[in-house]
Amino acid sequence: MQLQDLEKIFQDKIDKEIKIEPKDWMPDAYRKTNIRQISQHAHSEVVGMLPEGNWISRAPSLKRKAILIAKVQDEAGHGLYLYSSAETLGTSRDEMLEQLLSGKAKYSSIFNYPTLTWADMGAVGWLVDGAAILNQVMLCRTSYGPYARAMVRICKEESFHQRQGFETLLVLSKGTDEQKAMCQDAINRWWWPSLMMFGPRDSESTNSDQSVKWKIKRKTNDELRQQFIDMIAEQVKVLGMTLPDDKLKWNEERKHYDFGEIDWDEFWAVVKGNGPCNKQRLDARKKAHADGAWVREAALAHAAKKKNRQLQKVA
Amino acid sequence: MNQNLIDYTLHLADTTLILAQRNSEWCGHGPILEQDIAITNISLDLIGQSRNFYQYAAALINLPITIGTANNPADLATEDSLAYLRTEREFKNLLLVEQPNVDWGQTILRQFYFSVYQLYLFQQLQNCKDEQLAAIATKALKEITYHVRWSSEWVIRLGDGTAESHQRMLAAIEELKNYTGEFFIAAGYETPMGIDFALLKQQWEEKTKAVFEEATLPYPEKTFNQSGGKTGTHTEHLGYILAEMQYLQRTYPGAEW
Ligand SMILES: [Fe+2]
Ligand SMILES: [Fe+2]
């Protein structure tokens, strides 16, 4: 079959909302874009374990400790599903990890911010998982089948995380003056970085057009960001807290909230590796990987020995 | 008030909590994602067990108060007051579980030693005359059986893996060898619980020797039994664990979380 025909069949499928599956023909660029996006997403889940893992040992009650551990563990599970779906495109987890550790592959910049107080556990769940969900709900309908199906599983857990985060803050918002201040401070610190999670403005974004045509991405960065702001601007009222943006205001004409300008210099600085924790996060992953090398080698060596013994028995 | 029963329940609660705390240090730092999840799962199981024990201990402690007249709810014991507001001299956990995470091999061995002990202990507790303890033990046995299987497999894998992993397991055995004897030294409050320590010891040694043999690891014959954890005399590590774990409750007394 001619290349044009294959491309036409492929695009027809996408237009008809038929999922692309691992064995289907697909353009190289489609494969590459998906590998890049899914592996980045997987890395984000795994690196995302670190800022919240930071508070496990200090969680203020047994119930909160259990909830937090379970949450961080969910994120590890998300990483697993996503690495598996990327593997269906012909890359291996080792390759992907190598790219993360060498700094070649990116992960979500949000995890380069520090978690400074317990209230950050609430703010991260509410704002960070909340922003992630909007993106992920959209991805449940993405054109690559294994990615879309992984997203359906993940979304259920993410919305649970968001509710738990909100509830953590709600308790603080009704607590002592110190707890209320802790709550507001965490919102102040996490608000702008969470808006940055949706990426650059549409006018600045490079690979959006093709991704929309291939239905990898189904909404633009700005659309998703606006949706998030509209949602959070309402929820923050329940907490009796404020968002740190004096331009935030309901616009009756647009039926959306207007909002102030994101600090794009900060955005690019963090993307380029100069956020407050870029180094610590990557170092932590490198250390875990290096410290675990002998364990992985031993597991392989033992499995090989076992197999050999079985073969000898048979022979 | 049955002080022995309270102390024993607190001993079970503290031991499971401190091991959970140690294991959870691995969360996000495990050698491979699947095992990061596995050790974290065990941590969650142990916290679940500790909460059951703390809640029961709190109920026992509150019993005479609730029967009495008007009292301040803030004076009542809760799972959190027991976990977060007791000091290092009041904690009754085994010394083994407070030992730091040196490497994956030592974590595995600590878990293996403990899970095998817990398996046989809880099998006895299932028939304990205190119904509540029996119920908690029965409920926990399913997960403990899994912890034993998982940790046994890892002891074997690492013992009979590479030269390096074997060497690291030898170091872990050396590191922990003096902290298993405490399992079988009855504290005063344990005596009335009707535990057959001789049987427990025999079962534990049998299982450990069998797994070590498969792992090509030497069973440590010459040991000195460090003890005191059960009655609040700990190694220096516990103070730091509590300082970290209890920090928010201590800094903001009386706050709800
Ligand atoms: Fe996630
Ligand atoms: Fe999440």
Side-chain angles (χ1 to χ4, degrees):
Chain A
M1 217 184 294
Q2 296 282 312
L3 188 61
Q4 295 121 295
D5 297 333
L6 289 168
E7 271 170 5
K8 190 177 172 308
I9 295 170
F10 172 81
Q11 190 61 50
D12 276 354
K13 266 194 201 159
I14 290 194
D15 294 342
K16 285 186 196 140
E17 300 289 335
I18 298 170
K19 295 281 179 249
I20 306 300
E21 296 301 334
K23 291 212 165 65
D24 294 347
W25 183 90
M26 61 187 85
D28 261 355
Y30 177 84
R31 184 183 300 276
K32 276 192 193 133
T33 306
N34 266 295
I35 290 179
R36 197 192 62 230
Q37 194 176 323
I38 301 170
S39 64
Q40 277 184 17
H41 193 162
H43 298 328
S44 301
E45 300 285 353
V46 174
V47 177
M49 296 168 75
L50 298 170
E52 287 179 288
N54 182 39
W55 279 88
I56 288 175
S57 66
R58 293 175 289 171
S61 72
L62 296 179
K63 184 180 123 193
R64 292 286 171 208
K65 190 189 284 291
I67 289 175
L68 183 60
I69 293 177
K71 195 221 166 185
V72 180
Q73 191 193 30
D74 282 349
E75 307 301 0
H78 298 170
L80 274 187
Y81 306 156
L82 287 163
Y83 283 127
S84 306
S85 35
E87 282 180 322
T88 63
L89 288 160
T91 178
S92 70
R93 207 205 293 182
D94 282 347
E95 266 174 275
M96 291 183 267
L97 276 182
E98 174 48 42
Q99 289 182 337
L100 170 68
L101 300 179
S102 70
K104 203 179 151 216
K106 297 275 176 234
Y107 55 86
S108 180
S109 277
I110 193 77
F111 301 119
N112 292 318
Y113 288 86
T115 51
L116 301 179
T117 72
W118 170 252
D120 289 25
M121 297 302 97
V124 168
W126 178 43
L127 297 174
V128 175
D129 288 74
I133 290 167
L134 292 185
N135 202 26
Q136 289 170 352
V137 165
M138 166 189 83
L139 289 171
C140 291
R141 292 166 53 238
T142 192
S143 58
Y144 186 58
Y147 191 22
R149 288 189 290 273
M151 276 303 128
V152 174
R153 287 174 75 176
I154 290 174
C155 273
K156 282 187 199 141
E157 294 181 351
E158 296 295 9
S159 57
F160 196 58
H161 296 167
Q162 194 199 15
R163 258 179 292 150
Q164 284 170 337
F166 184 78
E167 198 262 334
T168 300
L169 292 183
L170 192 61
V171 171
L172 295 178
S173 75
K174 292 176 178 161
T176 63
D177 288 348
E178 284 158 317
Q179 286 176 305
K180 285 178 190 155
M182 194 189 276
C183 179
Q184 183 63 61
D185 167 63
I187 295 171
N188 292 349
R189 281 181 291 109
W190 288 94
W191 171 246
W192 291 107
S194 65
L195 292 190
M196 296 178 197
M197 284 175 72
F198 298 97
R201 276 203 229 115
D202 292 346
S203 54
E204 312 276 322
S205 185
T206 43
N207 33 26
S208 253
D209 280 357
Q210 186 60 267
S211 284
V212 170
K213 187 179 168 224
W214 280 338
K215 295 189 183 168
I216 295 176
K217 204 171 157 65
R218 313 190 64 130
K219 282 182 182 174
T220 70
N221 295 353
D222 286 337
E223 282 169 350
L224 288 168
R225 186 162 23 235
Q226 182 70 61
Q227 199 185 336
F228 178 70
I229 292 169
D230 291 347
M231 172 175 87
I232 298 297
E234 287 304 315
Q235 292 176 354
V236 77
K237 294 178 188 167
V238 182
L239 294 175
M241 298 284 148
T242 57
L243 297 172
D245 178 359
D246 52 20
K247 300 216 170 60
L248 190 80
K249 204 169 156 248
W250 177 251
N251 182 324
E252 188 53 38
E253 235 168 88
R254 290 203 310 127
K255 299 282 177 209
H256 285 298
Y257 277 89
D258 290 336
F259 54 96
E261 193 59 52
I262 289 170
D263 180 350
W264 294 108
D265 291 340
E266 178 182 325
F267 173 84
W268 289 112
V270 183
V271 168
K272 289 183 178 132
N274 298 319
C277 297
N278 292 60
K279 184 174 182 319
Q280 289 91 323
R281 300 296 183 235
L282 207 52
D283 284 352
R285 287 314 312 158
K286 282 182 189 162
K287 183 172 188 308
H289 192 73
D291 288 352
W294 71 271
V295 178
R296 296 189 298 273
E297 281 160 21
L300 285 176
H302 179 75
K305 280 186 193 174
K306 228 172 134 179
K307 201 174 159 200
N308 249 333
R309 273 178 228 143
Q310 270 160 1
L311 286 176
Q312 276 170 358
K313 255 190 211 163
V314 176
Chain B
M1 187 157 53
N2 184 341
Q3 194 57 46
N4 284 327
L5 181 59
I6 292 171
D7 286 348
Y8 187 57
T9 307
L10 285 173
H11 154 69
L12 295 170
D14 293 342
T15 296
T16 40
L17 176 61
I18 298 300
L19 185 55
Q21 180 83 356
R22 277 295 188 219
N23 283 342
S24 72
E25 290 172 23
W26 280 101
C27 187
H29 307 274
I32 184 166
L33 210 43
E34 285 84 347
Q35 300 311 325
D36 198 305
I37 293 174
I39 191 80
T40 306
N41 242 332
I42 292 178
S43 195
L44 276 174
D45 287 345
L46 291 167
I47 289 184
Q49 292 171 20
S50 79
R51 293 183 68 189
N52 289 334
F53 289 126
Y54 281 126
Q55 285 164 15
Y56 181 44
L60 291 170
I61 292 166
N62 294 336
L63 206 55
I65 307 172
T66 36
I67 291 168
T69 44
N71 49 57
N72 182 354
D75 295 337
L76 292 177
T78 65
E79 57 171 6
D80 288 328
S81 74
L82 294 173
Y84 287 88
L85 300 174
R86 281 157 62 243
T87 65
E88 46 274 66
R89 299 286 280 127
E90 293 170 292
F91 262 67
K92 296 173 177 49
N93 60 280
L94 295 165
L95 298 178
L96 176 79
V97 299
E98 68 199 39
Q99 299 311 305
N101 301 344
V102 174
D103 64 6
W104 184 251
Q106 191 260 17
T107 294
I108 289 295
L109 188 66
R110 185 182 61 202
Q111 188 62 46
F112 170 73
Y113 280 161
F114 176 73
S115 292
V116 173
Y117 155 77
Q118 206 190 18
L119 175 71
Y120 296 123
L121 174 65
F122 279 33
Q123 281 176 358
Q124 291 194 32
L125 282 183
Q126 259 187 309
N127 307 312
C128 166
K129 57 183 187 292
D130 186 86
E131 279 174 27
Q132 193 59 36
L133 281 189
I136 299 172
T138 305
K139 198 171 150 236
L141 271 169
K142 206 176 138 191
E143 55 205 36
I144 296 168
T145 306
Y146 165 74
H147 303 167
V148 169
R149 196 176 71 211
W150 180 84
S151 58
S152 302
E153 284 170 2
W154 270 105
V155 169
I156 293 165
R157 213 172 269 139
L158 297 177
D160 187 25
T162 60
E164 179 179 1
S165 70
H166 185 82
Q167 204 51 48
R168 282 177 182 265
M169 288 309 281
L170 293 181
I173 291 171
E174 188 58 28
E175 191 81 35
L176 298 178
K177 70 175 185 186
N178 293 337
Y179 296 112
T180 57
E182 192 187 14
F183 293 163
F184 316 111
I185 302 171
Y189 55 75
E190 276 178 302
T191 316
M193 294 300 135
I195 299 154
D196 182 342
F197 281 96
L199 174 67
L200 188 57
K201 186 168 188 223
Q202 182 206 330
Q203 289 174 316
W204 184 85
E205 285 182 352
E206 249 169 48
K207 173 72 180 174
T208 304
K209 282 177 181 166
V211 170
F212 273 29
E213 195 183 316
E214 210 181 328
T216 68
L217 290 169
Y219 181 83
E221 293 294 351
K222 264 190 241 154
T223 59
F224 176 82
N225 299 327
Q226 296 290 353
S227 64
K230 287 177 176 180
T231 48
T233 307
H234 291 273
T235 60
E236 289 176 346
H237 305 297
L238 185 69
Y240 292 93
I241 296 178
L242 297 187
E244 193 170 327
M245 187 176 83
Q246 298 179 337
Y247 134 76
L248 280 167
Q249 290 272 355
R250 299 281 189 192
T251 311
Y252 304 100
E256 296 277 332
W257 302 93

